[in-house]
Amino acid sequence: MKRLIFYIILMSASIYLALIYRNGAFLNIFYGSIFILLFLIVLNIISIYHTDISINTPQNVVQTGKKIIVEIILNNRGIIPTGRIGVFIKSVNSYTSKKEVTRFYVSADAGSSIITKCYYNAKTPGNIEFCIKKAWSEDYLGILRLPVFKHDKYEHTVMVIPVLYKVPVYITQTVNDNIYENDNAPNIFTAPDSIENGDIRQYIPGDSFKNIHWKLSAKSGELVSRQKYSTASHIALFFICPGRIDNAYKKRRFIQAVLSISTSLVSNGCIHYICWYNEKDNSITRYIVKQESDSYCFVQEGINIIINKKNTDKDADWIRNMYISQYNVKNYIPFIAINTKFELFADGKKIIQYDFKDLKNSIGKTEIVL
């Protein structure tokens, strides 16, 4: 904008001096500045016509405290280089509803494609949606900006999960797999689409390093893990008791505690259901967890249902009885439960109250026995 104002002042001064002093040199400067401006506009329009912009998020899941990579892909199919192109990327956190617009500048040579990596701080658990809000192309002198219409209008979602801690788990009871296979009640969530080729998938933070396929990782340049489904016959219920948490810090800690327990269960071969009460439908919602990455789906929607300011506190026995009634459970199934006071129950008995301020040390003190 400053350059455009300066250019207009220059043109105005040249025509003013040409008229006052009747000097042809100043008049030529005026006509020349108009020609240059029109020439730059034409070049910019041609460049925009042959340019398209898209973004990509190579990471599906990122832990808090890590960097989220957003790739800006600029494809120039024309025979002239692009000017400076500004890309405005909007990010929205589904958990905090916080919106941010960040501006980046890119450019590309004639007939080339470039990928520019941008980095965002993952501070809060939840889904962050990235999209291109708008894009502008500047001429070579940076005088005028014209909008770029050929850009990716789709939203790309990255799931941010908290840092997970290991919970000691000891399995003592075994229940046949048909307990959950014969129960046809549907899950409301689907697991992240992380399977790429057969038994190989992209590495997700929290995966065991023992499962990393190092040879394929070296070839592809990115970490990939072996896709493994648990063949253990252990099955359990993990009840999340509804309640009220007004403090944002405690909410993040609650998510951290739930996911730490769930991933610790499945890493010990314990398939389980994460279950919670949906007050809107007056029913129990559940999601089966067979592998570590399945637990991450809980961040997408379940946490917003549980930690609602209008929720009424429910205890572990209440949600368990409702589950038995709704799903017509006849056999005994071991269960654990956690409420919004960070109290952990096993088979109805309180075993510990976690200190949410020192969750890392508190969560490893007591062993979960099933």
Side-chain angles (χ1 to χ4, degrees):
M1 190 65 181
K2 292 181 180 179
R3 294 186 182 185
L4 177 61
I5 294 173
F6 176 77
Y7 199 81
I8 292 174
I9 292 174
L10 179 64
M11 292 176 59
S12 301
S14 61
I15 189 64
Y16 175 77
L17 293 174
L19 294 176
I20 293 296
Y21 297 104
R22 299 182 182 279
N23 190 315
F26 287 110
L27 188 63
N28 290 334
I29 293 175
F30 174 73
Y31 288 135
S33 59
I34 291 179
F35 173 78
I36 292 173
L37 183 61
L38 293 175
F39 180 71
L40 290 175
I41 292 174
V42 171
L43 287 182
N44 203 14
I45 292 174
I46 295 174
S47 175
I48 291 172
Y49 180 77
H50 293 96
T51 299
D52 57 73
I53 307 170
S54 61
I55 61 173
N56 179 49
T57 51
Q59 304 156 295
N60 295 325
V61 181
V62 177
Q63 283 191 351
T64 53
K66 303 294 184 179
K67 297 287 187 180
I68 300 175
I69 300 175
V70 178
E71 298 176 340
I72 301 176
I73 305 169
L74 175 61
N75 183 24
N76 180 16
R77 302 183 306 275
I79 59 174
I80 58 174
T82 65
R84 190 173 71 158
I85 294 179
V87 182
F88 295 73
I89 297 181
K90 182 176 72 173
S91 60
V92 182
N93 190 310
S94 62
Y95 181 70
T96 62
S97 298
K98 183 179 180 181
K99 299 179 181 179
E100 293 182 354
V101 177
T102 311
R103 178 168 52 188
F104 301 95
Y105 290 103
V106 293
S107 59
D109 293 331
S112 66
S113 296
I114 66 163
I115 299 177
T116 302
K117 291 186 178 181
C118 313
Y119 299 91
Y120 289 79
N121 291 322
K123 297 179 180 179
T124 307
N127 288 341
I128 301 182
E129 297 176 346
F130 295 93
C131 65
I132 298 177
K133 184 177 182 180
K134 58 182 178 180
W136 297 87
S137 177
E138 297 180 356
D139 57 69
Y140 299 130
L141 297 181
I143 298 174
L144 291 176
R145 297 194 308 175
L146 298 176
V148 178
F149 298 105
K150 294 180 181 180
H151 63 76
D152 184 4
K153 296 180 175 60
Y154 297 102
E155 295 179 344
H156 300 259
T157 303
V158 176
M159 184 186 300
V160 179
I161 63 171
V163 177
L164 304 181
Y165 304 129
K166 186 176 181 180
V167 182
V169 175
Y170 181 68
I171 306 296
T172 60
Q173 301 187 46
T174 305
V175 181
N176 293 330
D177 286 339
N178 59 14
I179 286 181
Y180 66 88
E181 289 178 348
N182 291 338
D183 199 338
N184 295 321
N187 297 318
I188 65 167
F189 297 141
T190 57
D193 187 15
S194 58
I195 301 176
E196 295 178 351
N197 293 311
D199 296 328
I200 302 299
R201 63 170 170 78
Q202 184 183 14
Y203 171 79
I204 297 175
D207 284 352
S208 174
F209 282 101
K210 296 179 181 179
N211 293 336
I212 294 178
H213 200 302
W214 294 109
K215 290 184 178 180
L216 288 182
S217 297
K219 290 181 180 180
S220 63
E222 297 181 352
L223 289 178
V224 293
S225 297
R226 294 180 177 87
Q227 181 74 17
K228 290 187 176 181
Y229 292 94
S230 175
T231 57
S233 58
H234 307 296
I235 183 71
L237 300 176
F238 182 17
F239 295 127
I240 316 297
C241 303
R244 296 182 295 271
I245 298 181
D246 298 326
N247 186 289
Y249 174 74
K250 289 181 69 175
K251 289 181 181 180
R252 293 195 296 269
R253 286 301 203 181
F254 187 75
I255 299 172
Q256 200 170 14
V258 171
L259 293 185
S260 294
I261 293 171
S262 179
T263 54
S264 295
L265 286 174
V266 77
S267 65
N268 283 273
C270 184
I271 300 172
H272 59 282
Y273 282 117
I274 295 182
C275 311
W276 62 87
Y277 173 63
N278 189 334
E279 189 169 359
K280 181 180 179 180
D281 300 330
N282 190 31
S283 63
I284 300 296
T285 298
R286 69 179 189 176
Y287 177 73
I288 193 166
V289 179
K290 295 183 180 181
Q291 55 185 340
E292 290 183 20
S293 58
D294 292 343
S295 303
Y296 305 154
C297 292
F298 177 74
V299 179
Q300 295 181 8
E301 185 176 342
I303 197 65
N304 293 322
I305 296 174
I306 296 166
I307 306 176
N308 191 309
K309 293 181 179 180
K310 298 180 180 180
N311 278 350
T312 304
D313 292 342
K314 304 292 185 183
D315 58 30
D317 289 334
W318 182 89
I319 192 171
R320 175 180 177 273
N321 292 334
M322 188 170 185
Y323 178 91
I324 291 173
S325 175
Q326 178 175 328
Y327 291 101
N328 193 27
V329 177
K330 298 180 181 179
N331 298 328
Y332 169 77
I333 303 177
F335 76 94
I336 58 174
I338 189 172
N339 59 24
T340 51
K341 297 178 182 178
F342 291 82
E343 295 175 327
L344 183 68
F345 298 85
D347 287 339
K349 297 180 181 179
K350 178 181 173 180
I351 56 176
I352 191 175
Q353 181 172 7
Y354 292 132
D355 181 3
F356 68 90
K357 295 181 180 179
D358 188 20
L359 190 61
K360 181 178 181 180
N361 294 321
S362 177
I363 208 165
K365 286 183 178 180
T366 302
E367 186 177 50
I368 296 177
V369 180
L370 289 170

